[in-house]
Amino acid sequence: MSTQTRINLEALHESEERLNLALSAAGMGIWDWDVASGRLTWSETLERLFGFEPGTFPGTYEAYRDRVPSDEFASMEKELAKAIAEKRDHTTEHRVLLPDGGIRWVQGRGRPYFDENGKLRRMVGTTFDITERKRAQETLRRTSEELERIVFERSEALSKSHAFLDSLIENLPNMVFVKDARDLRFVRFNRAGEELLGLSRDELFGKNDYDFFPKDQADFFTEKDRAVLRGHEIVDIPEELIQTKSGIRVLHTKKIPLFGSDGKPEYLLGISEDITEYKRAEEQRVRLVHEKAARIEADRAAGRFRFLAEASTCLSASLEYEKTLQQLAELSVPSFADWCTITVKDEGGGLRRMAAVHSNREKRALIDELFRDYPVDADRTNGIAEVIRTGVSLYTPIVDDSLLRRAARDERHYELMSKLGTSSAILVPIQIRDQTVGAISLVYGHSARKYQPEDLATVEELGRRAGISIENARLYEQARVAVQARSEFLSIASHELKTPITSLKLQLQLTRRRVDVDRGIAPTPEKLAKALDASLGQIDRLVELIENLLDISRIEAGKLNYAFQRCDFSDLVADVIDRFGDPFSESAPIEFTPAGDTEVDCDPFRIEQVVVNLLSNAVKYGAGKPVRVTVVRRGDRVRLEVKDRGIGIDAAVIDRIFDRFERAVSNRNISGLGLGLYISKQIVLGHRGEIWVESEPEVGSTFFVEIPAAGVKS
């Protein structure tokens, strides 16, 4: 065999292999029938279709026939003979009897080949597996038969259902009607509709709404009908009024479009329920609910009114507001809260808990622990501090766990508030003349009670009344202190005024005794001059006291006038020290340190009055130790400092040392009306300045005065 022949054979073999693979994938077998020898040649795919293992088909016509039902094979042979006679392709479908008892459907197509004499020589064809197609056709056939059966049964049922539907519509308790979509005339009506309207269906058929109802009602019904037909959708009319022979009735109606075969509305179906009695019952129920709610609210309002009345009685029972606030907290629990706290600003601006009460006495220790370990922080942006800072109430009807956690500073703070119970809360400010001085917090714990908006108004009113109580108590305390100060002042004033008068009287009486007109006896000029000087000194002291009292009256009347002029502050202080140096130096030496550039615009007389008061106090309370006086320029202001090393001022007194009638020590120790520093402060304020003191007991005091330098406007 030549090389080329071998290559051609190999190519042919590869081509056959590819063809077999393609035919196998397509489920197609190939056969070749040699008529002369009777030999049948099948492809492997065809062998498999007929239930043979590849290579086991005997190749005989009989082996093929054995795998086909006999009746089908006989019919197929007749068709084959006819196709050969007509010299055309032969097509057949038949079953295949598989060895395992199964059935497979195949479709074959063969083409005959004839010799030059027209005699059949050979026939070649293909065979396909059409089992799945046959199964689908069988399923379709069965489905079609089943559908025909169902349609037949449904037709009978539909005939019966028409009668049932007619009976159903006729016996429904709701009015059912049908209108022609073209002119909205009634074409059907049930018995319930007849009874509702008081009209027979014969009276209704062929008529429209305008034939039976007032125009406004007929317009309403017609408008809704048109809307249903235009929108091609159901319209629900919750309430519509209709005039009947028994009066006005209220209907709940649904209107539904019914479409013809062309998809357009042909009829309009209406179903109406008479809800007149239901509406009356509902109105009665709502009225009863409102009446019950009104009674409950009236009871609550009465309870709130009683609570406020009892609170007012409690707050007015005593002018000791610390005691009354505690009683107020106890009154609030448990009638208006499960626990309550009251916080008030102290004089230094800090926040102080004044009262804390819990309905469970065992939990009061938890409140103490809460405020001890977590005191109210004025800088916080929530809770009591926020209410006091803003003056706005906090109303939280529901306090859930997440809100409680956000309010807590840490886990232990959260646990304490949880143990106390916090489910609903109101925090309101305590105010005095628009100034917030504290806060009341009312809290419901684990009970089912929740605060309502009306409760907020009640608690806010409680806060206002608590503010009035605190203000009254403070005013009372101020009045008491003022009366005490007035009594002390009157005692001091009577003593201070009486002392120079007594001394003057004694001096004059003594001088008078030394004069005998009848005998021409009189004191010597030296003794008389001494007596007159002493008397004048007492008169000067008396005049000073009276001037101080007059200055007080001028200050209160706003008539303390000033004659401003340009002066040198250092020179002014030096002049005072020179003029009063001897009396001062006899008690304590004065060390003066002046400064340059200390010009001011002032009333020299009034500023001298301030300097004299400060020097007098320094000498009086300085225990005889040197007094240091300094004048210095500080920016756009001039400062005077008067420092002594005496007894100092107690911290409890220092904040009010510049008030009227206030003195650093008891009136029995050192003379004076307690007006000098008060007058000095008013004079300094009149010069747009400041005056203050720094002191330490048994160490000494330093008084400071600052006023604007000359030419400074502010």
Side-chain angles (χ1 to χ4, degrees):
M1 181 184 295
S2 67
T3 303
Q4 184 61 45
T5 301
R6 188 174 63 254
I7 292 172
N8 291 339
L9 288 174
E10 289 177 354
L12 179 61
H13 179 69
E14 290 178 0
S15 177
E16 288 177 349
E17 286 296 323
R18 285 195 296 271
L19 177 61
N20 286 332
L21 286 173
L23 293 174
S24 177
M28 177 189 293
I30 300 176
W31 53 268
D32 187 345
W33 179 29
D34 186 340
V35 177
S37 65
R39 180 72 179 173
L40 273 174
T41 303
W42 285 5
S43 67
E44 290 182 0
T45 301
L46 187 58
E47 286 182 300
R48 291 191 183 92
L49 288 178
F50 277 77
F52 292 98
E53 291 295 324
T56 63
F57 177 59
T60 65
Y61 192 76
E62 290 76 13
Y64 164 54
R65 183 183 59 195
D66 290 344
R67 292 295 171 95
V68 180
S70 58
D71 57 334
E72 294 181 28
F73 194 85
S75 175
M76 183 182 64
E77 281 190 320
K78 290 180 181 180
E79 289 294 327
L80 176 62
K82 186 177 180 181
I84 292 172
E86 296 176 357
K87 295 184 178 182
R88 58 175 174 79
D89 290 351
H90 171 249
T91 301
T92 184
E93 290 182 2
H94 62 80
R95 291 177 294 169
V96 176
L97 302 175
L98 299 175
D100 61 2
I103 298 294
R104 175 176 289 138
W105 278 90
V106 297
Q107 181 186 63
R109 185 179 182 87
R111 175 166 292 179
Y113 292 91
F114 301 91
D115 58 16
E116 60 275 9
N117 298 318
K119 185 178 179 181
L120 180 65
R121 179 176 59 83
R122 182 183 182 192
M123 198 166 187
V124 179
T126 60
T127 300
F128 294 91
D129 183 353
I130 61 170
T131 305
E132 292 303 320
R133 189 182 75 186
K134 281 293 186 180
R135 287 175 181 171
Q137 289 173 346
E138 179 65 17
T139 300
L140 181 62
R141 183 189 63 78
R142 291 177 181 176
T143 302
S144 178
E145 290 177 353
E146 179 66 15
L147 184 60
E148 288 178 0
R149 183 186 63 79
I150 291 173
V151 169
F152 176 76
E153 292 176 353
R154 292 285 176 86
S155 296
E156 287 191 341
L158 184 61
S159 177
K160 294 178 181 179
S161 70
H162 278 309
F164 172 75
L165 182 60
D166 288 342
S167 177
L168 179 66
I169 292 175
E170 191 65 22
N171 292 284
L172 277 175
N174 297 338
M175 179 173 71
V176 178
F177 59 88
V178 178
K179 294 180 179 181
D180 190 307
R182 293 170 298 177
D183 53 15
L184 298 178
R185 295 186 181 276
F186 292 104
V187 297
R188 181 154 190 173
F189 233 86
N190 70 344
R191 184 184 301 118
E194 291 179 308
E195 294 173 353
L196 176 64
L197 299 181
L199 298 169
S200 69
R201 65 191 70 192
D202 292 336
E203 294 177 277
L204 291 163
F205 287 163
K207 307 282 182 67
N208 60 32
D209 293 322
Y210 290 96
D211 294 319
F212 306 105
F213 307 115
K215 185 178 183 303
D216 57 338
Q217 290 184 11
D219 286 342
F220 176 80
F221 299 151
T222 302
E223 179 185 351
K224 292 297 182 183
D225 292 346
R226 294 300 182 194
V228 172
L229 298 173
R230 281 195 306 270
H232 290 199
E233 60 184 8
I234 298 173
V235 170
D236 190 338
I237 307 168
E239 292 183 19
E240 61 178 359
L241 301 179
I242 185 170
Q243 181 69 48
T244 71
K245 289 187 176 181
S246 60
I248 297 293
R249 308 296 289 181
V250 183
L251 304 183
H252 175 196
T253 300
K254 287 188 178 180
K255 295 187 175 182
I256 307 160
L258 302 179
F259 300 97
S261 57
D262 59 358
K264 296 180 180 180
E266 187 171 351
Y267 296 101
L268 182 140
L269 169 65
I271 303 173
S272 297
E273 178 186 4
D274 186 355
I275 60 172
T276 306
E277 300 307 321
Y278 168 79
K279 289 295 295 181
R280 289 173 181 170
E282 180 67 13
E283 290 171 359
Q284 176 69 9
R285 188 188 69 81
V286 170
R287 184 165 58 252
L288 292 175
V289 169
H290 286 171
E291 289 175 356
K292 182 179 179 181
R295 287 195 299 272
I296 293 173
E297 180 53 32
D299 291 341
R300 288 178 177 172
R304 291 192 292 267
F305 180 78
R306 285 194 300 272
F307 173 69
L308 285 176
E310 292 173 0
S312 295
T313 301
C314 170
L315 291 170
S316 62
S318 172
L319 288 170
E320 299 178 24
Y321 74 87
E322 296 184 5
K323 177 180 178 182
T324 57
L325 291 180
Q326 179 63 31
Q327 292 173 342
L328 178 63
E330 292 173 354
L331 175 66
S332 303
V333 176
S335 62
F336 219 74
D338 289 331
W339 57 285
C340 168
T341 66
I342 301 178
T343 305
V344 175
K345 278 184 180 180
D346 58 26
E347 293 182 357
L351 301 180
R352 177 185 172 198
R353 187 191 68 178
M354 302 300 296
V357 178
H358 200 291
S359 58
N360 185 343
R361 291 187 174 275
E362 296 178 358
K363 291 187 177 182
R364 294 192 178 185
L366 290 176
I367 297 181
D368 294 335
E369 185 178 352
L370 178 70
F371 278 87
R372 183 191 67 232
D373 297 342
Y374 299 94
V376 179
D377 183 355
D379 295 328
R380 289 188 66 82
T381 58
N382 59 8
I384 294 173
E386 180 183 359
V387 171
I388 294 176
R389 184 176 62 257
T390 64
V392 178
S393 301
L394 285 179
Y395 169 55
T396 312
I398 297 177
V399 180
D400 57 19
D401 187 71
S402 61
L403 181 60
L404 197 61
R405 285 192 177 276
R406 290 198 300 272
R409 301 183 195 177
D410 54 35
E411 186 63 26
R412 184 163 170 272
H413 192 200
Y414 164 76
E415 290 176 359
L416 284 173
M417 291 193 293
S418 296
K419 290 178 180 178
L420 285 169
T422 307
S423 61
S424 186
I426 292 179
L427 283 70
V428 301
I430 300 174
Q431 294 183 321
I432 299 176
R433 303 176 188 273
D434 297 328
Q435 295 295 318
T436 302
V437 298
I440 299 174
S441 61
L442 297 177
V443 183
Y444 281 138
H446 300 296
S447 65
R449 296 184 293 178
K450 304 295 179 189
Y451 287 112
Q452 304 299 322
E454 298 81 6
D455 297 327
L456 174 61
T458 300
V459 182
E460 287 179 332
E461 177 60 25
L462 181 66
R464 285 189 286 271
R465 297 188 186 190
I468 293 172
S469 176
I470 293 173
E471 182 181 30
N472 289 341
R474 289 179 175 177
L475 290 175
Y476 169 76
E477 179 62 19
Q478 292 171 6
R480 188 191 64 78
V481 171
V483 169
Q484 181 179 351
R486 185 194 64 181
S487 298
E488 184 177 347
F489 168 72
L490 291 175
S491 175
I492 295 170
S494 62
H495 173 74
E496 291 295 323
L497 290 172
K498 187 177 180 180
T499 297
I501 293 175
T502 301
S503 298
L504 178 60
K505 183 177 180 181
L506 289 174
Q507 188 66 47
L508 293 175
Q509 287 175 342
L510 180 60
T511 303
R512 180 67 182 83
R513 290 194 192 104
R514 291 176 179 175
V515 176
D516 187 340
V517 178
D518 296 335
R519 297 171 58 189
I521 299 174
T524 63
E526 292 80 4
K527 291 182 178 181
L528 183 59
K530 185 176 180 181
L532 290 174
D533 288 340
S535 297
L536 289 172
Q538 296 301 327
I539 291 172
D540 288 340
R541 184 180 177 189
L542 188 60
V543 169
E544 181 184 356
L545 293 172
I546 293 172
E547 282 294 332
N548 282 341
L549 292 174
L550 289 174
D551 279 345
I552 291 294
S553 66
R554 294 188 189 104
I555 290 170
E556 291 182 344
K559 295 181 178 180
L560 190 63
N561 297 321
Y562 302 96
F564 286 93
Q565 61 185 65
R566 186 68 53 89
C567 302
D568 188 293
F569 206 141
S570 293
D571 293 345
L572 193 150
V573 174
D575 184 58
V576 172
I577 294 173
D578 288 341
R579 283 190 284 118
F580 296 93
D582 291 340
F584 289 153
S585 61
E586 289 177 2
S587 300
I590 297 176
E591 302 172 354
F592 176 48
T593 304
D597 192 21
T598 56
E599 285 193 338
V600 294
D601 293 321
C602 69
D603 183 330
F605 172 75
R606 292 300 181 186
I607 292 300
E608 285 183 1
Q609 194 174 350
V610 173
V611 175
V612 169
N613 279 330
L614 296 182
L615 288 175
S616 298
N617 282 341
V619 171
K620 188 187 304 182
Y621 298 108
K625 297 177 182 178
V627 174
R628 180 177 299 168
V629 180
T630 305
V631 176
V632 62
R633 174 72 178 257
R634 297 180 64 85
D636 60 356
R637 301 174 80 82
V638 176
R639 175 184 288 185
L640 166 67
E641 299 178 9
V642 179
K643 179 180 180 64
D644 67 64
R645 300 180 181 86
I647 61 176
I649 304 172
D650 190 274
V653 181
I654 198 167
D655 288 338
R656 59 177 189 270
I657 195 68
F658 293 99
D659 294 344
R660 284 185 304 172
F661 316 135
E662 289 294 341
R663 294 147 56 84
V665 297
S666 170
N667 60 343
R668 296 181 180 179
N669 295 327
I670 298 177
S671 64
L673 294 177
L675 297 175
L677 290 179
Y678 173 73
I679 294 172
S680 296
K681 180 178 180 179
Q682 303 309 312
I683 292 173
V684 172
L685 292 176
H687 283 73
R688 297 178 292 118
E690 296 178 85
I691 183 170
W692 71 96
V693 62
E694 296 175 0
S695 182
E696 185 177 347
E698 305 306 328
V699 174
S701 303
T702 302
F703 283 82
F704 300 88
V705 173
E706 277 190 0
I707 61 175
V712 176
K713 298 297 182 182
S714 59

